[in-house]
Amino acid sequence: MIRVALFIPCFVDQLAPTIGQAAVRVLERAGCTVEFPEAQTCCGQPAFSTGHWREARALAERFVRVFAAAEAVVCPSGSCAATARRAFALLDDGDAAWRRDAAALAPRVFEFSEFLVRRLRLTDVGAFFPHRVAYHDACHLLRELGVRDEPRQLLREVRGLELVEMEEPEECCGFGGAFAVALPAISAALGRRKAANVERAQAEFVTTGDPSCLLHIGGVLARQRARARAIHLAEILAAERRPGAAPARP
Amino acid sequence: MTDANAGRERILARLRAARAAAPLAPPPAPHAAGVFAPIADPLVRFQEECAANRTELYQVDAANAATCLGDLLAQALAPGDGAPAYVQDAPILRRLLAALPPPLPARLRWSSEAAVGGDAGAAVTLAEALVVRTGSILVSTACGGRAASVLAPVHIVYAEAAQLVPELDQALVAARACAAAASMLCLITGPSRTSDIEKKLVLGAHGPRRLVLLLAR
Amino acid sequence: MNAERQFRRAGARAAADAARQDFLRAGLAGYGHAAAGARRRFADWSAARDRCQEVKAEALAHLDAYLLRFEERVVARGGHVFWAETAAAARDYILGVARRHGARRVIKSKSMVSEEVRLTPALEAAGIATVETDLGEFIVQLRREPPFHIVTPAMHLRRGEIAALFQRELGAPPGADSAEELAGAARRALRDQFLAAEMGITGANFLIAEEGLVAITENEGNARLCSSLPRVHVVLTGLEKVLPRLADLGLFWPVLAAAGTGQPITCYNSLIGGPRQPEERDGPEEFHVVLLDNGRSALLADRERRDTLACIRCGACLNVCPVFHTIGGHAYGATYSGPIGAVLMPQLGGLERFGHLAFASSLCGACTEACPVKIDLHRHLIRNRRDAVAAGRGRRREGWAVRAWAWLAADPRRYQRAGAVLRRLLRVRRVLPGEGGMLDPLRPWTRARALPAPPAESFREWWRRRTAAPPARDSHD
């Protein structure tokens, strides 16, 4: 039985805890022992990507310290997992010891779907979700971690779920962290395009492994009073068939 | 001559300061290996590539080459406008065009007599090499000069199957040899084209509308 | 108005024009399809990229030696090589050549370096008529606007707009508005220019060191005419475009074509080594190569960003960039637009004017993935942000927010209390009217996007409750 140290991105912790709860449920159902090291805070991604590398380094050090002994660190966010796995090493400032520590942790950091499929070799987690779902390839999940098929494999095994491919699934939704508020017009135009592609695919839900993309896409869909909604992959995988209950609709 | 200027020395000083300590790298292995898949049947592949890049390919026996070239030239030169055909002055082309029916012989201009002009209705040249991988034709200034293969609306090339090389690598070896004497070489792949207007392909942008290759076996 | 404000405004305006975005994307979808096909012609596209990266790294590591070798070979054939430190030096040299030959008419083929040094305005100011001959460049020159894209300069224009332009400027007949007719009209209009010009100016795609050759890639044949017909041929190019040897083109020609236009290989790949040689009957009598530095040697010294000089100007990063898709090329207000422009412009044109372009990216990484020479594009944008912050040129409010956040996140208890306060504030905000309106403090977000209701309980609060009461394991309330 594998012991999983869960890393919950700060924004999931505060604004979308159901994603974290769903991840816990799925991991436990898959037979993992889930731990949540409470000393964790933020991986430092916002500081890293806005160029505040001193602050990013301090948060990265905390992350490495907190998870140093973990067998596997699992995170329901592609961009946070990518930060720990790929960006930490860039914050070296010529410090070889830090590079070593960051490199030692990197291979034990997994994004949620990646962990299930690549590490646990599990694609059927016994979920039931009778809806039409489109998968959006979140950028960092796709390009930093190379995760393209894993989420789709998981979705294909969900009972009742119809997986549809929308147009331009790999085009950025326009979130981009600080970009979303620094250049809101461009960010929103991309969000509207993504929302339109979801709608054209006649999907009831759009999903991915990155909560921040979902906040953005979901926000655009809600503002446009669209029928489709955004939902995290973990929430779909956590949904089960309950006798007598209405079809799962979190 | 080199135009001596202080800027040159300052630029070079900065480049030297940034230079790597390691010595110059030795020449690499040919690039095609490992990067491109092997070609099964060179002639078939060459035909496919020519069709794809819109080169009009005619394969002829040596015995029929003269007739075929004459027909192509007659077709390229409209009877009315009197535009001349500009021809690379090479023994093989002299021989192939020796028995041209009138009035075509009067419309030939040999490269040894004059450079190609804006009035050319067609150009006939040889090639340095043909590339199977891309369906390309390598020419140099030895093939009738610099402008011959680009100024006329129709470019007719006479080449032999023995000139086919599988990869760009071999064509570049040939080009290297030519560059010792020629001031310009060009690897031509199909007729001139543009997609600058709504990404729609139009042939004959500024160069030839037609590229015709007469390949003798 | 400063460059950043101008960029925001132009970007927002373009972002609001969905029809134009659809038009741009429709054009680029064709490119995407062709490029994918061209990549499939490689047995191993990724290996080809690796090799390109290696060859370029070698060329840059010994740039001085390779450039000297190139110069030596060109000079041996009777050509001239001028090393221009600045844009002004390049302009002055070319003007001098033109004057010496009494040139009144210059024909040009496509060269982004000529845009970089503002060559055409300088020639025109000196009374030398200068005509762009690449069809797309010709069109944007008639419109008196800069190229929209480094490879396809007129991709933003519809056929109808070009037809109207040609009617007005060339006297083309009305109704002649198919791509064939328009290309034909340009061909006819430019034919006489080609034959009459005294001087031709081209760019270069590669400088081949070992053999001393300038490699020019094009589809139309206009660069061939520019370098064949006039008495003088001037090549204006960045000094970084070196490849060690001719054999390297066996890799770079098909890679440039695949990434640039999605072709297996471009129609004309010319190699030019000097002026007309004694036994040759045509070609220019004089041949000049102008090697432009203009900030490139400083970039070479920057180990972190040196790979930027490996750029072969294929435009692939623009073609896949969601920001470019949304705002187009002109909004950047820069010679080089898109991801490579955002990386390069601060180095070539100054941090002051172009530093803000580092933020014109969602950091999606599509550019880095598309780059055939594997330039670390999106991470360079982050590095540019880092340097802006370090130099005290970062964006102030963002800096406060990040530092405050980092301070809170340095201590889990502090972080947790702050989170609770944040959620309470968001709840209070929700009962106020006017979400997304002018008075909403979160308007940059909420104007186009709803914000979900904050939960009463954070994940860690839920976790603590759950571990404190083990039997209630599955209560996901």
Side-chain angles (χ1 to χ4, degrees):
Chain A
M1 190 160 63
I2 189 163
R3 296 176 79 83
V4 166
L6 196 61
F7 175 72
I8 293 298
C10 36
F11 138 72
V12 170
D13 182 17
Q14 296 302 329
L15 296 179
T18 51
I19 295 174
Q21 292 159 12
V24 171
R25 199 176 335 176
V26 174
L27 289 167
E28 285 181 347
R29 211 194 287 153
C32 300
T33 304
V34 180
E35 290 161 2
F36 177 76
E38 292 208 37
Q40 66 177 276
T41 58
C42 171
C43 66
Q45 183 184 200
F48 169 73
S49 61
T50 53
H52 296 83
W53 283 23
R54 204 160 43 98
E55 287 78 8
R57 169 70 184 266
L59 292 172
E61 282 178 19
R62 157 172 288 281
F63 187 103
V64 170
R65 217 169 36 241
V66 169
F67 291 102
E71 189 180 349
V73 183
V74 175
C75 169
S77 157
S79 59
C80 296
T83 301
R85 202 147 88 200
R86 313 253 347 238
F88 280 5
L90 298 177
L91 299 167
D92 68 337
D93 228 0
D95 177 351
W98 165 251
R99 264 202 306 271
R100 209 173 41 240
D101 292 351
L105 180 64
R108 286 178 281 137
V109 177
F110 296 90
E111 180 275 332
F112 176 70
S113 70
E114 184 189 32
F115 179 75
L116 292 175
V117 178
R118 289 192 198 162
R119 181 74 173 77
L120 299 185
R121 310 207 168 278
L122 197 66
T123 48
D124 185 351
V125 295
F128 173 72
F129 193 75
H131 298 286
R132 201 173 149 90
V133 176
Y135 179 77
H136 160 63
D137 286 281
C139 297
H140 293 175
L141 202 49
L142 176 68
R143 300 193 185 90
E144 301 282 347
L145 302 178
V147 173
R148 178 188 269 113
D149 295 332
E150 291 81 351
R152 291 179 171 86
Q153 283 171 270
L154 288 160
L155 286 168
R156 269 188 221 106
E157 299 291 339
V158 174
R159 315 290 181 275
L161 186 145
E162 184 190 358
L163 179 63
V164 290
E165 285 294 337
M166 62 176 145
E167 281 173 60
E168 302 169 355
E170 297 182 5
E171 173 111 347
C172 177
C173 69
F175 173 69
F179 176 77
V181 287
L183 291 165
I186 304 173
S187 168
L190 286 164
R192 283 193 294 272
R193 187 165 183 95
K194 182 60 71 179
N197 280 328
V198 172
E199 294 263 88
R200 253 200 301 278
Q202 299 184 324
E204 294 166 74
F205 290 90
V206 55
T207 190
T208 187
D210 221 314
S212 39
C213 304
L214 293 167
L215 179 77
H216 174 72
I217 302 169
V220 172
L221 286 167
R223 178 50 49 87
Q224 296 182 339
R225 304 192 187 290
R227 194 176 69 110
R229 291 168 53 194
I231 184 171
H232 193 279
L233 179 69
E235 295 177 285
I236 292 180
L237 299 184
E240 287 172 282
R241 193 197 294 272
R242 293 212 185 89
R249 191 169 171 107
Chain B
M1 55 139 240
T2 296
D3 298 80
N5 69 84
R8 176 180 186 270
E9 300 316 312
R10 284 194 295 268
I11 292 171
L12 274 168
R14 287 196 293 270
L15 299 185
R16 282 197 191 102
R19 175 180 197 159
L24 292 183
H31 290 298
V35 167
F36 296 110
I39 293 168
D41 183 331
L43 194 59
V44 169
R45 176 66 185 262
F46 186 69
Q47 290 164 346
E48 288 168 1
E49 293 295 330
C50 286
N53 70 38
R54 316 287 187 96
T55 301
E56 301 169 32
L57 174 64
Y58 295 91
Q59 290 171 267
V60 289
D61 293 324
N64 301 330
T67 322
C68 188
L69 183 58
D71 291 348
L72 286 168
L73 207 48
Q75 180 195 18
L77 296 177
D81 64 6
Y86 179 83
V87 187
Q88 176 184 346
D89 197 345
I92 175 76
L93 292 178
R94 287 265 183 190
R95 194 157 50 77
L96 290 172
L97 294 170
L100 216 53
L104 287 178
R107 294 175 72 175
L108 300 185
R109 303 281 180 278
W110 295 94
S111 66
S112 54
E113 292 154 14
V116 65
D119 59 344
V124 183
T125 75
L126 303 178
E128 303 281 5
L130 308 172
V131 186
V132 171
R133 169 79 55 194
T134 51
S136 307
I137 301 167
L138 180 70
V139 298
S140 77
T141 50
C143 305
R146 274 204 199 199
S149 54
V150 69
L151 199 54
V154 182
H155 179 203
I156 301 170
V157 179
Y158 175 82
E160 285 165 9
Q163 289 181 278
L164 283 166
V165 298
E167 302 290 349
L168 287 172
D169 290 331
Q170 289 93 9
L172 287 162
V173 171
R176 193 167 194 270
C178 297
S183 66
M184 189 230 54
L185 291 121
C186 188
L187 187 78
I188 300 174
T189 310
S192 157
R193 64 198 59 203
T194 183
S195 300
D196 273 352
I197 297 174
E198 292 193 350
K199 302 259 176 190
K200 189 170 181 308
L201 179 69
V202 178
L203 298 183
H206 289 298
R209 248 178 280 267
R210 291 179 59 204
L211 174 63
V212 184
L213 174 59
L214 194 57
L215 186 63
R217 284 188 282 264
Chain C
M1 188 159 45
N2 73 20
E4 177 165 8
R5 285 242 297 285
Q6 221 159 345
F7 169 71
R8 288 171 170 284
R9 197 168 293 188
R13 203 166 37 235
D17 190 346
R20 204 178 70 134
Q21 288 160 32
D22 286 343
F23 177 68
L24 267 186
R25 284 183 203 251
L28 289 171
Y31 158 83
H33 185 73
R39 286 195 298 268
R40 279 195 298 274
R41 289 174 60 98
F42 291 78
D44 189 342
W45 173 249
S46 144
R49 291 174 78 215
D50 287 341
R51 283 213 202 168
C52 285
Q53 186 185 32
E54 284 161 26
V55 172
K56 272 290 187 179
E58 160 63 14
L60 294 171
H62 301 98
L63 193 54
D64 58 330
Y66 286 124
L67 280 171
L68 286 172
R69 177 69 176 153
F70 170 81
E71 179 185 51
E72 184 190 315
R73 304 288 294 160
V74 170
V75 169
R77 287 198 202 86
H80 303 260
V81 176
F82 180 77
W83 305 58
E85 266 192 302
T86 59
R91 281 196 306 263
D92 291 348
Y93 180 81
I94 295 171
L95 270 172
V97 173
R99 288 209 186 94
R100 218 167 41 246
H101 286 269
R104 309 308 306 157
R105 287 154 299 191
V106 166
I107 46 172
K108 263 193 85 255
S109 73
K110 189 165 175 36
S111 155
M112 287 312 294
V113 175
S114 75
E115 296 287 329
E116 182 184 333
V117 307
R118 306 271 176 270
L119 181 63
T120 301
L123 290 166
E124 295 274 354
I128 300 166
T130 308
V131 180
E132 295 286 352
T133 60
D134 168 86
L135 177 56
E137 289 284 350
F138 178 64
I139 292 167
V140 295
Q141 186 184 30
L142 288 179
R143 286 171 58 91
R144 294 170 190 81
E145 66 183 22
F148 185 84
H149 180 287
I150 62 171
V151 175
T152 48
M155 67 174 298
H156 58 306
L157 299 172
R158 293 167 197 272
R159 255 184 317 126
E161 294 171 280
I162 299 168
L165 178 75
F166 280 11
Q167 266 180 55
R168 201 165 62 237
E169 301 282 337
L170 306 177
D177 64 353
S178 71
E180 287 81 5
E181 287 165 310
L182 293 169
R187 178 186 170 111
R188 283 188 297 278
L190 288 169
R191 224 349 101 131
D192 294 340
Q193 310 270 10
F194 280 121
L195 294 165
E198 298 91 4
M199 186 162 132
I201 300 175
T202 69
N205 294 88
F206 306 103
L207 303 172
I208 309 302
E210 180 64 29
E211 290 81 3
L213 296 169
V214 173
I216 303 174
T217 294
E218 54 152 346
N219 274 308
E220 297 183 5
N222 61 310
R224 294 191 63 196
L225 293 169
C226 288
S227 57
S228 298
L229 299 176
R231 286 205 312 273
V232 187
H233 175 206
V234 177
V235 175
L236 171 60
T237 180
L239 53 71
E240 80 282 13
K241 299 219 174 142
V242 170
L243 291 179
R245 44 190 74 77
L246 194 53
D248 294 322
L249 291 175
L251 178 63
F252 278 85
W253 274 343
V255 164
L256 172 61
T261 54
Q263 289 173 277
I265 190 162
T266 318
C267 187
Y268 296 119
N269 282 293
S270 302
L271 296 164
I272 301 173
R276 170 196 306 192
Q277 298 297 292
E279 63 284 2
E280 292 174 345
R281 293 209 61 121
D282 65 350
E285 291 151 22
E286 252 186 61
F287 176 66
H288 298 260
V289 179
V290 179
L291 301 172
L292 179 71
D293 183 339
N294 200 34
R296 288 166 174 80
S297 57
L299 197 46
L300 188 74
D302 180 347
R303 289 298 159 106
E304 224 178 9
R305 293 185 185 78
R306 169 180 281 191
D307 69 342
T308 313
L309 290 175
C311 174
I312 56 173
R313 304 287 189 268
C314 67
C317 61
L318 282 68
N319 297 343
V320 301
C321 175
V323 174
F324 184 88
H325 293 166
T326 307
I327 66 171
H330 287 153
Y332 287 82
T335 302
Y336 303 99
S337 65
I340 186 63
V343 170
L344 207 53
M345 285 313 293
Q347 319 294 332
L348 302 184
L351 211 62
E352 186 85 24
R353 261 187 77 195
F354 296 108
H356 64 275
L357 292 181
F359 297 90
S361 167
S362 65
L363 303 178
C364 75
C367 48
T368 308
E369 181 184 55
C371 179
V373 292
K374 299 181 78 175
I375 301 172
D376 204 9
L377 286 161
H378 73 292
R379 282 187 205 89
H380 284 328
L381 292 175
I382 301 177
R383 291 183 183 108
N384 286 358
R385 296 176 184 190
R386 176 201 65 194
D387 291 355
V389 168
R393 300 178 43 87
R395 289 173 311 166
R396 229 167 330 145
R397 266 185 298 180
E398 189 176 278
W400 291 336
V402 169
R403 279 191 296 275
W405 180 250
W407 179 77
L408 292 172
D411 175 348
R413 268 178 314 219
R414 194 152 66 202
Y415 160 81
Q416 198 186 330
R417 278 197 300 273
V421 171
L422 171 77
R423 275 182 281 122
R424 205 164 311 138
L425 283 174
L426 286 175
R427 266 200 303 280
V428 170
R429 188 195 132 273
R430 279 182 72 80
V431 302
L432 302 174
E435 186 188 68
M438 292 306 285
L439 297 176
D440 185 346
L442 301 179
R443 181 169 150 89
W445 177 271
T446 51
R447 194 177 168 190
R449 293 156 288 215
L451 199 59
E457 188 180 49
S458 72
F459 176 83
R460 67 180 65 214
E461 285 162 359
W462 170 80
W463 179 269
R464 206 167 289 154
R465 193 158 55 74
R466 180 176 186 263
T467 40
R473 236 176 129 67
D474 251 327
S475 73
H476 295 275
D477 42 342

